[in-house]
Amino acid sequence: MTSSEDTLARLAAVIESRKGGDPDASYVSRLLHRGPDAFLKKIGEEATEVVMAAKDADHGGDTGKIVSEMADLWFHALVALAHYGLTPGDVLAELARREGTSGIEEKALRRLGERESQEKGKP
């Protein structure tokens, strides 16, 4: 495991340990207690803040702000993964699976798979 994988795994373990915890004592417990609407809203907000930081950087702003906002986005995404019983390893495995595949090709294959699934569902 690389050090970045270690960091993600450690953070995911802390988030997992907060499941069912006291929402008054832990931010993660509070997010999980409030349910998907709470952490999904935070993911949307943080994604917007990443975009805004990047736009600012395009005009001379501090690129460190992109890193800070991206960390917030990743953190809330990890909360979502935990809620759905997934781990950073699941995402890393998917990225590894896609490695070496053209993004255009990968997207076309996904669309084809979705179409085939829809056709199977038809009577």
Side-chain angles (χ1 to χ4, degrees):
M1 218 185 257
T2 66
S3 70
S4 56
E5 286 178 74
D6 288 342
T7 300
L8 288 172
R10 283 192 311 272
L11 183 53
V14 169
I15 291 168
E16 189 68 29
S17 76
R18 300 296 197 271
K19 282 182 167 180
D22 180 359
D24 293 328
S26 163
Y27 176 68
V28 171
S29 295
R30 185 177 316 139
L31 282 174
L32 292 169
H33 178 76
R34 289 181 179 166
D37 285 350
F39 57 78
L40 295 175
K41 179 180 177 187
K42 286 301 292 180
I43 289 171
E45 290 171 4
E46 299 303 343
T48 299
E49 290 175 9
V50 168
V51 170
M52 291 170 33
K55 294 298 249 173
D56 288 347
D58 285 339
H59 299 283
D62 179 12
T63 57
K65 187 78 172 153
I66 298 170
V67 172
S68 175
E69 296 300 346
M70 190 68 73
D72 291 344
L73 175 59
W74 285 16
F75 172 81
H76 289 91
L78 289 171
V79 171
L81 287 174
H83 172 79
Y84 294 108
L86 301 167
T87 68
D90 296 320
V91 177
L92 293 170
E94 177 62 13
L95 289 171
R97 184 191 68 76
R98 294 180 186 186
E99 189 174 4
T101 304
S102 153
I104 294 170
E105 177 185 341
E106 197 278 331
K107 204 171 203 177
L109 289 172
R110 238 185 307 154
R111 282 194 196 119
L112 178 63
E114 289 168 2
R115 254 188 261 130
E116 288 174 353
S117 293
Q118 288 173 352
E119 288 174 5
K120 287 180 184 177
K122 291 181 181 177

